[in-house]
Each structure stands twice: as C-alpha cells, then as structure tokens.
Amino acid sequence: MAASSRRDGGAAGRAKAERSAWVLLTPMCLLMAVAFILPVGLFLLYSFYRFRGGRLEETFTLETYWRFMTDELYLITIYDTLQLAVLATLLCLVISYPLAYAMWRMRSPGLQKLIAFIVFAPVLVSVVVRSYGWTVVLADQGPVNFILTRLGLTSGPVSLVYNMTGTVISLAHVFLPFVVFPILASMLRLDPTLREAAEDLGASWWKTFRSITLPLTLPGVVAGAQICFTLSLGSFVTPAILGGGRVLVLPIQIYTATSDINWPVAAVGGLCLLVMAFIAVVAFGRLSQYSEAV
Amino acid sequence: MSAKALLFATSLLAAAVASGPAALAQAERDAKISFFMFAGSGSDVVPKEVIADYLKKNPKVGIDIVETTNAIIYPKMVTARRTTPDQPLVHCGFFNADTINRGDADDMWETLNKANIPNMANTLPSYARPEARGVPYQAMGIGLLYNTRVMKEPPTSWSVLWSPDSRGKIVTFDNDLRLVGLVSKLNGADEKNPDIGFKLLSENAKNFRALVDSNDALKNLVISGDAPIAPWFSSVSDVWIKEGSPVGFAVPKEGAIAFPIYMAIAKGVTPAQRAVCEDLLNELLTPDRAGRYALVTSSIPLVTNATLSKEQVENPILNPAIAKNAVQIDFAYIATVAADWRDRWAREIKLKMR
Amino acid sequence: MSGTVELVGVTKRFGSHLAVDAISFGIGSGEFFSLLGPSGCGKSTTLRMLSGFEAPDEGIIRIAGQDMADVPPYRRPTNIVFQRWALFPHMSVEANVAFGLEAEGRPRAEIRSRVGDALALVGLSGFAARKPGQLSGGQMQRVALARALVKRPKVLLLDEPLSALDLKLRHQMQIELKRIQQEIGTTFVFVTHDQGEALAMSDKVAVMNAGRVEQIASPQELYDAPATRFVAGFIGHANLLPVTVDGVANGLAMVRLGDLHFAAALRETSIGDMPSGEAILALRFERVRIGAGPAAEAAGAAGAGVARATGVVRQMIFGGASVQYVVGLDAAPVEITAEQPHGAGAPVFAQGTPVTLSWEPADGRLFKA
C-alpha cells in the first residue's frame, strides 16, 4: 500500500484529501442553494409577472423591467440609491481618516481607548434609536441649527433632516466604526521607521503624509469604503426614518411593493439592487488591487 | 292541558331553548387561538382584561396575544392565507378601516353569525360591514392636530393643508391616501375621481415638511414646532394633550374624517376556534367593555348603548357626535386602487417635495 | 571642523534603566568611526541621540561645532541609514533616493543629476526604475546608502546596516562601504555588535558596555592592547584565566596558575594600576602554540622564558583556515584554547592526544579580577 502510493507520487492521497474537502463543503453548498439560489430563482420568476389592479397576474411579461429602465420614478429611485451610497461613503471617509489618524498618533493609550469606545459605541445601540437621535439633533429647533444660527453662519434654521442631507449624515455615522477600523489597521501595519526615515530626510509633515502615509494606507481606505458603499446600497431604516419621504431608495421601494404584495416590482427592484451590489464589489476589488500595487 | 301547565311547559321549553345556545356557549371551550390587538395608546387594556377573565372561566383555552400594527401583521396574514389556509396567522382581532377593506379583496374575513354574537345588533348601522364581514367597534375622528405655541389660532378648515401659505408646515404619514380622498371630496369630486385631490396636493407638495412612518416621528415634528399642523386621530391627540404636550385638536368646519376600527374573525378557523372568537367579540361589544375601551383609548364607541363616563359625554373629542357628523371616506374603494394611488403619490407628491 | 562630532557627559535614561552613562568623546572630520558593543550596551541609543530622534537627559552633543540641543532630526546635518533600510516600498529606487532632495525643494534637473551620481557611487546605475520589492538585500542596502548620501550630510549615521545580510554579502559590503567613505570623505558613525566588522572598516572604534565607553582606539590598538578585561574578551578570541600575581621581577609580573609559574606582561601604565593578588590573564588563542607530547625542555620554567604547560586535547574544532584545540591542563584545573593555522605541514592533534602549550610572556595581559 505504502509502496504504490509512493510510486504514483501520493496522488491517491491527494485525491482523498480533495474528496474530503468537498464533503466538508456540502453543508455550506446546501445552505447557499436553499437560502440564496432558490429565493433568487423565485425572484427571477416573479419579476416576469404583472401586477394590475391590486392583483398578481401570472402572465409572462417584460413590462416591469421596461418600466425600471424608462419610468422616471424608478430611474430617480436608482439614482437616489447610488447618490446616497456615494455621498455617505465620501462623508464617512472624510471623517474616518482623520479620526483614525488621531487614534494612531495618540500617545496616551487611555485616550486612544476612549476614542475607540466613542467610535464603536453607536454599534451597541440599534440603528432605529440612532436614527431617531439624529432627527432630534438635526431638527430645525435642534442643537445643530441653534449653533449655526448663533455663530451667524446661517440666517435661519437650515433644513438638515427629512431629506438627503440628514440621511447622508446619519448613514455616515452608522458606518463610522466599519471604516475607521480598517484604516486604523492599515496605519498600524505601517513600518514606523518609514516615517522616521522621511523625517530624517527632511520631509515636512505634509510631504510625509502625502508621499508615505496616504499611499501606504490606501488599501485600508478602499476596504473601508467598500464596506460603507455596499452596506449603504441596502440601507433601509436610515432613509426611511430620516428621509421624510424625499429620499426614494430601492430598499424602501421594495418594502412598499412587498406591502402591496406587488411581487413583480419587488422582484425587479431586488434584482436591481443585487446587480448594483455585484458591480460595486467588482469595482472595489479592482480598486483594491490597484491601491496595493501603488 | 291547564293554562298553568301550558305556561309552565312553555317557559320550560323557552328556558331550554334559551339556555340551549347559552348552554352550548358555556360548553367546554377547547381551542388555541391568536388574537390581534393594537399596540400602545391604551388599545391593549380592555382586550387584555377581557382575555384574562375569559381564560379564568375557560381553562382549556389558549390565547396567544399578537400586539403590533395592522401594517405589519396584515401582509403576513395574507401570506399565511395563501400558503397555509387552514392555519390562519391571526384568528380574530381588531382591524382598521384600511385593513378591513383590503381583507375583502384578499378573501380574509368570515361572515359573522349574529346569533352567536348578539351584541352586534347594538352597533351603528351606518358603519356596518357588507355581509357582516366584521363588526364596527370604535371610531376615531381624524381632524387637525396643531402646535398651540406656533399657531396663534387653531386651524378651522381642511384647506389649510393645501393652502400656499402653509409651506413646510404640514406633516403626515407617507402614503396618506385618506388625504387624497378627502381633498377630492372637499373640492367637488370624490374617491373615484381623485385627480383634483392629487393635483392640489401635488402643486402644494412643498407644504409637507416631511412624510413619516411612525406616531412618534409625527409627534416630535408637531411638538417641536418644525411642522405645526398634521391631520391626525382624535384619540391619540387626546392622549398627547393629557400628557401635557403643547398641542391642540381642531375639528375642521367641513367635519372630521371618520376612521372606524372593526373586529373580525379570519377565514380558516376551526369551529372550536370560531366559538372562542365569537365569545371574545361578544364580550368586547358589551356596553361596559365598549365604553371603557373608548375611554381608555379616547375613541368614540360605535356601540350605541356603550356606558359613557361624564368626561366622555362632555369632551368634544370623545363625543359620539363626531362619528355622526363625520365625512365618510369610501375606504373600501380606496383599498382596491391603493397600489395605483401609492404609485401616483410617489410620482406626484414625493417627487415634487424634493 | 566640518564633520566633527563631540559628546560631553551625555546621559540617557529610560524609566529606571540607565542606557547611556555620562559618555564623552570626539570624532574627527572624515573618520570612519564605529560604536561597538553587545546588545543593550547603549550604542544604538547614542546613535539615535546623534540623529535627533532621542534627546539626552544630560550632557551636550555638538555636530560640526554646533550645539544640537532642541534641533530636530530634519534640521541636523546628519542622515541615517536604518538597520532594515526603511526604503519606501511603493516608490521606485529613483524616487526613494530623490525623496530627501524633493523635501528640500530642489529643482528637477538638479535632483535628477544628483540622484544619478548617488546611484553611480553605490554601483546601482541601471536600477533607477526598480521597486524595493524587486531588489536583493545588498541592493536595498545600497539604495538606503544612496538615499542618505545624496543629501550630502556632514555626518552619516549607520545603524547596524549590514546585520540583515548573509556572511559573504556582508564582507563584500564592508569593503564597498569603506571604499565609498574614503571616496566622498564624509564622517561615518557606524554602529555594530560584530567586532570583526568594526575592526575591518573603522579608523577608530569605541567599545561600549552597559552604557559606558570601555576604550576608544584604532582597531590594531584595541586588538593588541585592550585597556580593560571586557575589551580583551570582546575583541578577538582570548582565554581569560584566573591567576595570582606573586610579584614583579625583571620588568615582568610573576604569576601563578595552579601549579604553573610563569611571567606575564607589565602594561605601559603605571605600576599602581597593575593588579596584584587575584587577577585575570588574557591570552589570545592564536598566541598559544601547540606541540605534540611532553615538553622537550623543562616544563613551567619559572624564569623569563617561554611559558609552558602540558595537557590533553579535550576538543578539536576545525575552522577551515585554522584549527582550535581546547586543552585541559595537567598542572591546573583549567582549559586553554590554542589556535593554529591549518595547512600542509601543520600537524592535527586528535582528541585525547597529550600536548604541550607554550606562549611568550608578553602575550599574557593582566587585568583586575
């Protein structure tokens, strides 16, 4: 037995190892099939039906797809969904990077832990509670508008909530920990002697940041941005509570359609989101490769 | 037979007959049901009392209380009806006007047996359901909730909602189709011809400070003064006024919208489950229970002989007169066209708000 | 004047640990100066204080005659070559070397020409477009050197830059570094724990131990005339034998080791420094001659003649160019290691062979016990 396996170079052993790998994968494959592939297939089926007069008609039609591509309401919904994801990601990055940088450069470990807690604590509270909190903070009569008017930056209260602005702000806040920590991780991985070398060679803080720190932490930035973007695409609670009816995103659209039992619209909307998320994943994958090669 | 004997026999027979169904009614109830009630604002108080008393008398019965909103539970009930028709998600409970009418289209409700629910006879006929698919119970008047600090005087007319002077002052629920129906009716048309309603609301879409999804969001906006006017329920308004919030409730001169809630039994119940449901509904329709429910939720009882407290008689918000003079909206029709109206709402109002 | 370094009473503490203990010395302009010592002796800390990344707790540091107190690293006329080179991994070789000049704001043309010269100096002219990930260890080392030298510092600081290279490469780079230093004439301050490296390259070496400087001297002087027992043991290979000093005669010290009596060198320092009583005798391996069998002449002559001892070979360690013999003495309970060149004609003694060891009295140096 031993002799023969030695003769064929251990191929029998390798084949056995491969088989056991497949056996171990089977439960996962089954779960994926039942929980993901089957429902998506059902979705696909429903997307070809028609919904008229409050009833589902099981006739084959591409009407819903056509409407999604031409109807102003659906196009605006797709646009809003993308706009929300892009704006939330940008705002989140703009806040997260300096925050991560501050945490990285902080000398006292006590202060570092405090900031980490402040960044992470919102995760402990449900997103519904947080969203309501923002409606209070950003209200016309709320503290933010109070400060803005007192400082003379605006002549009266600015509409910061129940629109895209408030939704973007709250969403960026929700995803802050998911973006801060990947960026911080990539900063901690930076070889500290690189910054010393830069300083020794006479680089100012800005040159060191621009030429060394930023390019080498870019992979962390891309990772964080990917998380924020793809999660923003699917966010429901925040635009529902803070949008005030002005933010028309796909998840809300799908929810309304489902409550109406309008399966075709819900299905096409869901597929639309799936495609957008897939494209986002591929795009960010490319971006990630590029950022690591830099 | 002597007259005395005849009388005795008749009364015996009558007693037997009378006690027959009663005896049947008090025969051992043995079933498990799910009972739906609204969450919060006192809507659970009286039903829970009724259920507790019932369980003491009928130890073999199990009652699972489902306490949430119609909007959440109804789609699930429909799905259950389609997939497991013999096992309804909810066997009986409370349903508002929107839901009870949608239920007709989705074939959800049993026809109620007046013999088994005798107290049904004491409800206002103008609110009765077609083919007794449910029984009217309470109503709220929908009027104008307003912030007493921001509004120097209470609003007097529904037209404040579509007046060009009300920019950014109004808040209401998203997809408030009742509003479309109301505006149409008040401007010479009706629910079947809602174009004028949509037009007026669309042209003045910027009146809406926000469209919300929860009672609390609406409350916050009105109380803070960000959106000082909202079309809202008399009952909930009364609760907030009693809490001390700086709000008032005005019944517009055109009349409040009557918004009734019904009780119904879902299709797919077994006879044993049905019997339990009928008992519960009948008990809730008794004058004391009906009156108390109205008092606790600040609603108007649609049970004509409901026991009213002094306050219920004197408080205009709680007075049954609101129900009598109310603007009747054809919720049944709106339910059938709801999906199309929601689509128009998105296009003509939400898009114009931005 | 231009590349001089001066330390006066420099002390550095980390918490309760005294890393550098009031050291004072000077480095001449254009010197290749090494700081040599075991781990934790304070040499790296001293270098970091020269570079400006650490500040001394006490004392003065002057570079090119200027007091460097409160002067940050980027304003000092120094540059560092780090132990692991710290090349910017995302930049090309050319960009790495140009970095310091760009930070100064030099014009493009000047940068290009100086970078070209620097790369030529270290022998990497064709490598401008490569990235550090595509370079070998030795090449990376040279880029790090070019990057520092292109700035024309008055003093170049090198923090064990060769320790990450393999042996052959290290020897090559030692020669390269020496050549470059002589060509450009910049003062080099070189930190290492490898004494062979320090001796090979340096004009002067400062041997450090536990935060103090044991001796500063040229490599040859360190080797031939170690000033302290530590230096004697650290530089080269030496036997450190516990002996008793009986007295002085004929300009030599008379010592006793077990039953052996022989003479040892008197140092040039005053008699007062000479240890008496218990002492340590340092005897270099290669100074001990080994011969077969019992002595032809009388063993352990007490006079001023050659010291002799008989013993048995306990271990034979073959080192290629030379062979070491660990010999257990007959007359004393110690082992002496002798080293002799290996080649045709030199006899090889197997384990267990009786042998005679001999050495000149002048080769035995005495230190306080």
Side-chain angles (χ1 to χ4, degrees):
Chain A
M1 193 63 192
S4 68
S5 61
R6 251 184 289 141
R7 252 209 309 266
D8 62 13
R14 278 201 299 275
K16 182 160 180 224
E18 208 177 291
R19 251 179 285 130
S20 20
W22 277 110
V23 167
L24 287 172
L25 271 176
T26 309
M28 193 59 217
C29 290
L30 277 175
L31 186 67
M32 280 292 283
V34 169
F36 187 70
I37 298 177
L38 223 57
V40 172
L42 223 68
F43 243 32
L44 213 53
L45 186 66
Y46 274 123
S47 70
F48 294 115
Y49 290 157
R50 195 203 333 254
F51 186 81
R52 197 175 282 169
R55 321 247 63 219
L56 182 70
E57 289 171 23
E58 293 185 1
T59 54
F60 183 86
T61 167
L62 291 173
E63 193 183 304
T64 326
Y65 283 99
W66 181 245
R67 282 209 289 158
F68 259 82
M69 290 191 275
T70 54
D71 190 321
E72 181 196 28
L73 179 65
Y74 295 119
L75 289 174
I76 288 186
T77 306
I78 293 173
Y79 175 74
D80 261 11
T81 313
L82 280 171
Q83 189 189 31
L84 179 61
V86 167
L87 290 178
T89 304
L90 286 175
L91 183 62
C92 201
L93 283 175
V94 161
I95 301 175
S96 300
Y97 197 94
L99 210 58
Y101 192 88
M103 282 176 69
W104 179 44
R105 303 262 87 218
M106 204 137 281
R107 289 191 199 280
S108 110
L111 210 56
Q112 226 183 12
K113 287 204 185 88
L114 179 67
I115 296 192
F117 179 72
I118 292 177
V119 168
F120 193 73
V123 175
L124 302 170
V125 174
S126 96
V127 67
V128 173
V129 173
R130 260 181 291 167
S131 301
Y132 273 114
W134 278 110
T135 61
V136 173
V137 169
L138 295 172
D140 292 345
Q141 321 288 331
V144 174
N145 265 313
F146 179 74
I147 294 175
L148 285 176
T149 351
R150 264 313 169 87
L151 289 179
L153 290 169
T154 54
S155 52
V158 178
S159 207
L160 292 172
V161 74
Y162 298 120
N163 51 21
M164 183 62 88
T165 311
T167 316
V168 168
I169 293 175
S170 179
L171 210 57
H173 178 237
V174 166
F175 294 127
L176 210 59
F178 298 98
V179 180
V180 166
F181 288 113
I183 296 179
L184 184 63
S186 74
M187 285 175 174
L188 291 171
R189 267 196 297 256
L190 250 178
D191 182 357
T193 49
L194 289 181
R195 298 183 89 255
E196 277 189 354
E199 191 182 349
D200 175 66
L201 291 167
S204 65
W205 177 87
W206 174 244
K207 176 145 176 81
T208 308
F209 178 76
R210 180 167 44 95
S211 309
I212 314 291
T213 313
L214 191 56
L216 290 174
T217 53
L218 220 49
V221 170
V222 172
Q226 175 170 17
I227 295 174
C228 187
F229 187 85
T230 37
L231 287 180
S232 296
L233 280 180
S235 70
F236 172 76
V237 175
T238 309
I241 295 181
L242 285 152
R246 291 187 177 85
V247 178
L248 305 166
V249 292
L250 276 170
I252 295 182
Q253 164 87 284
I254 296 168
Y255 176 77
T256 316
T258 312
S259 306
D260 282 342
I261 332 248
N262 183 348
W263 295 125
V265 169
V268 177
L271 286 170
C272 201
L273 253 177
L274 200 64
V275 167
M276 285 165 75
F278 183 74
I279 294 176
V281 167
V282 168
F284 273 104
R286 283 291 169 83
L287 210 60
S288 183
Q289 278 178 329
Y290 170 73
S291 73
E292 265 158 36
V294 153
Chain B
M1 215 182 245
S2 69
K4 224 194 208 171
L6 193 59
L7 200 60
F8 184 67
T10 320
S11 55
L12 255 184
L13 193 62
V17 167
S19 68
L24 194 65
Q26 291 321 310
E28 275 233 284
R29 290 283 188 250
D30 185 355
K32 275 203 161 31
I33 66 157
S34 291
F35 189 89
F36 177 87
M37 62 182 73
F38 296 113
S41 296
S43 312
D44 56 327
V45 172
V46 173
K48 281 184 180 161
E49 287 169 0
V50 167
I51 287 175
D53 289 342
Y54 190 77
L55 288 174
K56 280 196 209 117
K57 291 200 195 103
N58 298 281
K60 281 203 178 157
V61 169
I63 301 180
D64 191 25
I65 295 178
V66 178
E67 202 178 330
T68 171
T69 69
N70 276 173
I72 291 175
I73 203 68
Y74 184 70
K76 293 184 188 169
M77 287 174 69
V78 173
T79 310
R81 176 114 183 89
R82 299 241 173 95
T83 55
T84 56
D86 300 324
Q87 288 170 282
L89 185 66
V90 161
H91 297 86
C92 47
F94 299 93
F95 303 97
N96 61 28
D98 288 334
T99 313
I100 202 83
N101 282 297
R102 284 172 76 179
D104 282 344
D106 293 324
D107 192 30
M108 294 294 293
W109 317 123
E110 288 278 5
T111 298
L112 296 181
N113 185 332
K114 297 200 169 87
N116 292 340
I117 312 179
N119 289 330
M120 268 181 76
N122 300 325
T123 54
L124 269 178
S126 50
Y127 288 87
R129 292 236 67 228
E131 291 162 34
R133 286 195 295 270
V135 54
Y137 190 48
Q138 308 276 340
M140 293 176 268
I142 299 177
L144 289 169
L145 177 76
Y146 63 96
N147 184 309
T148 48
R149 289 202 203 121
V150 173
M151 307 287 296
K152 304 286 175 268
E153 285 162 18
T156 52
S157 162
W158 284 112
S159 62
V160 70
L161 296 178
W162 62 87
S163 153
D165 298 327
S166 302
R167 287 289 182 261
K169 290 207 184 132
I170 316 290
V171 58
T172 186
F173 264 60
D174 197 0
N175 292 312
D176 188 357
L177 303 180
R178 289 188 291 264
L179 196 57
V180 176
L182 175 78
V183 178
S184 303
K185 279 192 95 130
L186 293 179
N187 285 282
D190 61 15
E191 296 88 336
K192 296 199 169 60
N193 299 291
D195 291 340
I196 181 75
F198 276 112
K199 178 165 174 290
L200 282 171
L201 287 173
S202 179
E203 281 168 7
N204 297 289
K206 293 218 193 297
N207 284 6
F208 294 115
R209 176 69 183 84
L211 297 174
V212 297
D213 279 315
S214 71
N215 292 12
D216 284 304
L218 188 136
K219 185 179 179 185
N220 279 338
L221 277 165
V222 176
I223 288 181
S224 70
D226 283 8
I229 305 174
W232 196 233
F233 300 97
S234 58
S235 50
V236 186
S237 304
D238 193 57
V239 170
W240 293 350
I241 293 171
K242 288 200 172 91
E243 278 174 5
S245 307
V247 294
F249 183 81
V251 177
K253 64 175 191 261
E254 300 93 343
I257 303 176
F259 193 71
I261 60 168
Y262 299 82
M263 294 191 288
I265 300 178
K267 276 198 175 160
V269 287
T270 65
Q273 290 169 329
R274 194 198 173 115
V276 170
C277 283
E278 286 167 344
D279 288 346
L280 291 172
L281 263 57
N282 200 46
E283 178 60 28
L284 282 160
L285 284 163
T286 56
D288 286 341
R289 301 283 197 189
R292 181 163 157 68
Y293 190 105
L295 180 66
V296 168
T297 59
S298 301
S299 315
I300 301 145
L302 296 174
V303 172
T304 49
N305 59 349
T307 318
L308 297 175
S309 72
K310 185 160 169 292
E311 194 214 338
Q312 281 173 297
V313 174
E314 289 177 1
N315 187 339
I317 296 181
L318 304 177
N319 196 306
I322 293 183
K324 295 217 187 73
N325 304 329
V327 175
Q328 294 268 27
I329 302 279
D330 189 350
F331 293 110
Y333 177 72
I334 296 183
T336 59
V337 294
D340 292 335
W341 280 29
R342 268 194 272 270
D343 195 66
R344 285 188 73 171
W345 178 276
R347 277 170 221 283
E348 295 174 46
I349 292 165
K350 281 163 69 159
L351 280 185
K352 294 287 181 294
M353 275 170 72
R354 289 149 69 91
Chain C
M1 191 63 193
S2 63
T4 56
V5 179
E6 209 184 319
L7 287 90
V8 182
V10 171
T11 302
K12 180 73 185 171
R13 277 180 212 93
F14 292 111
S16 56
H17 168 61
L18 187 62
V20 174
D21 191 358
I23 59 175
S24 305
F25 59 86
I27 303 174
S29 181
E31 256 183 15
F32 196 122
F33 189 92
S34 290
L35 292 169
L36 173 68
S39 318
C41 69
K43 58 193 192 297
S44 285
T45 310
T46 307
L47 194 78
R48 282 178 74 82
M49 285 196 280
L50 290 178
S51 72
F53 283 112
E54 299 278 0
D57 292 325
E58 288 163 34
I60 304 174
I61 294 178
R62 286 197 199 94
I63 299 180
Q66 236 193 311
D67 188 346
M68 289 285 128
D70 297 327
V71 179
Y74 50 89
R75 285 216 229 108
R76 296 196 183 201
T78 60
N79 282 109
I80 292 197
V81 177
F82 291 89
Q83 188 167 9
R84 291 229 143 234
W85 316 308
L87 296 184
F88 306 127
H90 58 297
M91 295 186 191
S92 68
V93 164
E94 181 168 7
N96 262 281
V97 177
F99 189 83
L101 296 177
E102 279 169 12
E104 282 175 31
R106 299 274 169 195
R108 286 255 115 237
E110 184 187 332
I111 294 182
R112 225 173 304 133
S113 102
R114 279 170 72 172
V115 167
D117 291 343
L119 286 178
L121 181 68
V122 298
L124 285 179
S125 287
F127 286 71
R130 296 228 197 147
K131 288 251 189 89
Q134 300 163 301
L135 301 175
S136 71
Q139 289 162 342
M140 282 201 270
Q141 218 272 356
R142 285 189 263 168
V143 175
L145 190 62
R147 185 175 70 177
L149 285 176
V150 82
K151 298 258 300 176
R152 296 187 190 142
K154 296 209 176 100
V155 179
L156 185 70
L157 308 170
L158 301 103
D159 191 357
E160 303 196 53
L162 307 182
S163 58
L165 303 175
D166 61 59
L167 193 63
K168 279 264 161 60
L169 196 54
R170 216 178 319 153
H171 287 322
Q172 250 179 290
M173 283 308 304
Q174 285 166 10
I175 298 171
E176 272 295 298
L177 269 176
K178 184 73 184 169
R179 174 188 70 78
I180 291 170
Q181 193 267 339
Q182 281 175 331
E183 191 175 320
I184 58 177
T186 308
T187 309
F188 272 32
V189 180
F190 190 92
V191 164
T192 179
H193 61 268
D194 183 336
Q195 48 101 19
E197 193 164 84
L199 296 184
M201 297 194 284
S202 319
D203 296 325
K204 281 241 193 70
V205 181
V207 180
M208 290 182 72
N209 182 33
R212 316 196 116 232
V213 176
E214 297 265 338
Q215 185 177 2
I216 300 183
S218 69
Q220 195 168 353
E221 197 181 322
L222 276 180
Y223 192 85
D224 291 334
T228 70
R229 173 196 164 168
F230 176 81
V231 178
F234 192 78
I235 306 280
H237 296 136
N239 292 289
L240 297 170
L241 306 168
V243 299
T244 314
V245 179
D246 286 333
V248 178
N250 303 339
L252 292 169
M254 305 310 293
V255 302
R256 190 175 15 109
L257 173 65
D259 289 331
L260 297 170
H261 296 264
F262 53 90
L266 269 179
R267 286 210 302 236
E268 301 77 50
T269 50
S270 69
I271 300 286
D273 279 353
M274 198 57 195
S276 59
E278 305 299 316
I280 296 286
L281 182 79
L283 188 57
R284 293 226 176 271
F285 289 3
E286 70 275 12
R287 286 292 189 230
V288 180
R289 294 187 297 273
I290 184 166
E297 297 137 47
V306 171
R308 261 184 249 277
T310 55
V312 175
V313 174
R314 297 256 169 90
Q315 257 190 298
M316 189 267 285
I317 303 163
F318 181 69
S322 61
V323 190
Q324 286 181 355
Y325 296 97
V326 181
V327 177
L329 297 185
D330 296 331
V334 294
E335 289 175 345
I336 292 184
T337 305
E339 188 170 325
Q340 72 174 35
H342 169 73
V348 174
F349 303 101
Q351 229 172 327
T353 314
V355 292
T356 302
L357 302 175
S358 58
W359 62 90
E360 298 291 334
D363 289 333
R365 300 178 66 78
L366 286 165
F367 297 97
K368 291 201 177 72

PDB file of all heavy atoms in Angstrom, chain A residues 255, chain B residues 68-77:
ATOM      1  N   TYR A 255     -39.765  47.501  -0.152  1.00  0.00           N
ATOM      2  CA  TYR A 255     -40.620  47.286   1.011  1.00  0.00           C
ATOM      3  C   TYR A 255     -42.062  47.678   0.709  1.00  0.00           C
ATOM      4  O   TYR A 255     -43.005  46.955   1.025  1.00  0.00           O
ATOM      5  CB  TYR A 255     -40.077  48.092   2.194  1.00  0.00           C
ATOM      6  CG  TYR A 255     -40.933  48.028   3.426  1.00  0.00           C
ATOM      7  CD1 TYR A 255     -40.912  46.901   4.242  1.00  0.00           C
ATOM      8  CD2 TYR A 255     -41.778  49.077   3.775  1.00  0.00           C
ATOM      9  CE1 TYR A 255     -41.694  46.839   5.372  1.00  0.00           C
ATOM     10  CE2 TYR A 255     -42.563  49.017   4.905  1.00  0.00           C
ATOM     11  CZ  TYR A 255     -42.515  47.900   5.697  1.00  0.00           C
ATOM     12  OH  TYR A 255     -43.292  47.840   6.816  1.00  0.00           O
TER      13      TYR A 255
ATOM     14  N   THR B  68     -49.323  44.474  17.735  1.00  0.00           N
ATOM     15  CA  THR B  68     -48.458  45.269  16.842  1.00  0.00           C
ATOM     16  C   THR B  68     -49.354  46.179  16.015  1.00  0.00           C
ATOM     17  O   THR B  68     -50.404  46.603  16.495  1.00  0.00           O
ATOM     18  CB  THR B  68     -47.572  44.333  15.984  1.00  0.00           C
ATOM     19  OG1 THR B  68     -46.912  45.100  14.991  1.00  0.00           O
ATOM     20  CG2 THR B  68     -48.367  43.263  15.301  1.00  0.00           C
ATOM     21  N   THR B  69     -48.944  46.484  14.761  1.00  0.00           N
ATOM     22  CA  THR B  69     -49.812  47.327  13.925  1.00  0.00           C
ATOM     23  C   THR B  69     -50.385  46.504  12.783  1.00  0.00           C
ATOM     24  O   THR B  69     -49.838  45.476  12.398  1.00  0.00           O
ATOM     25  CB  THR B  69     -49.035  48.502  13.303  1.00  0.00           C
ATOM     26  OG1 THR B  69     -48.134  47.983  12.332  1.00  0.00           O
ATOM     27  CG2 THR B  69     -48.267  49.267  14.361  1.00  0.00           C
ATOM     28  N   ASN B  70     -51.480  46.989  12.239  1.00  0.00           N
ATOM     29  CA  ASN B  70     -52.090  46.315  11.080  1.00  0.00           C
ATOM     30  C   ASN B  70     -51.128  46.274   9.910  1.00  0.00           C
ATOM     31  O   ASN B  70     -51.054  45.293   9.189  1.00  0.00           O
ATOM     32  CB  ASN B  70     -53.352  47.066  10.647  1.00  0.00           C
ATOM     33  CG  ASN B  70     -54.560  46.665  11.449  1.00  0.00           C
ATOM     34  OD1 ASN B  70     -55.626  47.257  11.324  1.00  0.00           O
ATOM     35  ND2 ASN B  70     -54.443  45.637  12.279  1.00  0.00           N
ATOM     36  N   ALA B  71     -50.380  47.352   9.730  1.00  0.00           N
ATOM     37  CA  ALA B  71     -49.490  47.434   8.569  1.00  0.00           C
ATOM     38  C   ALA B  71     -48.470  46.314   8.588  1.00  0.00           C
ATOM     39  O   ALA B  71     -48.089  45.796   7.543  1.00  0.00           O
ATOM     40  CB  ALA B  71     -48.796  48.792   8.555  1.00  0.00           C
ATOM     41  N   ILE B  72     -48.048  45.961   9.822  1.00  0.00           N
ATOM     42  CA  ILE B  72     -47.040  44.905   9.921  1.00  0.00           C
ATOM     43  C   ILE B  72     -47.655  43.533   9.801  1.00  0.00           C
ATOM     44  O   ILE B  72     -47.145  42.652   9.128  1.00  0.00           O
ATOM     45  CB  ILE B  72     -46.276  45.025  11.263  1.00  0.00           C
ATOM     46  CG1 ILE B  72     -45.402  46.279  11.236  1.00  0.00           C
ATOM     47  CG2 ILE B  72     -45.446  43.798  11.533  1.00  0.00           C
ATOM     48  CD1 ILE B  72     -44.705  46.550  12.547  1.00  0.00           C
ATOM     49  N   ILE B  73     -48.822  43.333  10.466  1.00  0.00           N
ATOM     50  CA  ILE B  73     -49.352  41.973  10.547  1.00  0.00           C
ATOM     51  C   ILE B  73     -50.129  41.589   9.296  1.00  0.00           C
ATOM     52  O   ILE B  73     -50.188  40.399   8.926  1.00  0.00           O
ATOM     53  CB  ILE B  73     -50.227  41.815  11.819  1.00  0.00           C
ATOM     54  CG1 ILE B  73     -50.326  40.346  12.231  1.00  0.00           C
ATOM     55  CG2 ILE B  73     -51.610  42.381  11.611  1.00  0.00           C
ATOM     56  CD1 ILE B  73     -49.027  39.776  12.724  1.00  0.00           C
ATOM     57  N   TYR B  74     -50.706  42.565   8.590  1.00  0.00           N
ATOM     58  CA  TYR B  74     -51.619  42.180   7.514  1.00  0.00           C
ATOM     59  C   TYR B  74     -50.933  41.447   6.362  1.00  0.00           C
ATOM     60  O   TYR B  74     -51.408  40.410   5.917  1.00  0.00           O
ATOM     61  CB  TYR B  74     -52.407  43.403   7.004  1.00  0.00           C
ATOM     62  CG  TYR B  74     -53.418  42.986   5.962  1.00  0.00           C
ATOM     63  CD1 TYR B  74     -54.541  42.249   6.324  1.00  0.00           C
ATOM     64  CD2 TYR B  74     -53.216  43.273   4.620  1.00  0.00           C
ATOM     65  CE1 TYR B  74     -55.442  41.825   5.375  1.00  0.00           C
ATOM     66  CE2 TYR B  74     -54.116  42.849   3.666  1.00  0.00           C
ATOM     67  CZ  TYR B  74     -55.234  42.122   4.051  1.00  0.00           C
ATOM     68  OH  TYR B  74     -56.108  41.703   3.108  1.00  0.00           O
ATOM     69  N   PRO B  75     -49.794  41.959   5.839  1.00  0.00           N
ATOM     70  CA  PRO B  75     -49.165  41.195   4.747  1.00  0.00           C
ATOM     71  C   PRO B  75     -48.813  39.773   5.166  1.00  0.00           C
ATOM     72  O   PRO B  75     -48.923  38.844   4.363  1.00  0.00           O
ATOM     73  CB  PRO B  75     -47.893  42.001   4.448  1.00  0.00           C
ATOM     74  CG  PRO B  75     -48.168  43.367   4.945  1.00  0.00           C
ATOM     75  CD  PRO B  75     -49.068  43.197   6.121  1.00  0.00           C
ATOM     76  N   LYS B  76     -48.447  39.626   6.442  1.00  0.00           N
ATOM     77  CA  LYS B  76     -48.122  38.279   6.909  1.00  0.00           C
ATOM     78  C   LYS B  76     -49.364  37.391   6.937  1.00  0.00           C
ATOM     79  O   LYS B  76     -49.305  36.203   6.636  1.00  0.00           O
ATOM     80  CB  LYS B  76     -47.516  38.338   8.313  1.00  0.00           C
ATOM     81  CG  LYS B  76     -46.159  38.999   8.360  1.00  0.00           C
ATOM     82  CD  LYS B  76     -45.591  38.930   9.766  1.00  0.00           C
ATOM     83  CE  LYS B  76     -44.325  39.750   9.847  1.00  0.00           C
ATOM     84  NZ  LYS B  76     -43.862  39.934  11.201  1.00  0.00           N
ATOM     85  N   MET B  77     -50.512  38.012   7.300  1.00  0.00           N
ATOM     86  CA  MET B  77     -51.754  37.238   7.327  1.00  0.00           C
ATOM     87  C   MET B  77     -52.115  36.774   5.923  1.00  0.00           C
ATOM     88  O   MET B  77     -52.565  35.646   5.716  1.00  0.00           O
ATOM     89  CB  MET B  77     -52.895  38.091   7.894  1.00  0.00           C
ATOM     90  CG  MET B  77     -52.806  38.312   9.388  1.00  0.00           C
ATOM     91  SD  MET B  77     -54.050  39.462  10.010  1.00  0.00           S
ATOM     92  CE  MET B  77     -55.539  38.513   9.799  1.00  0.00           C
TER      93      MET B  77
END
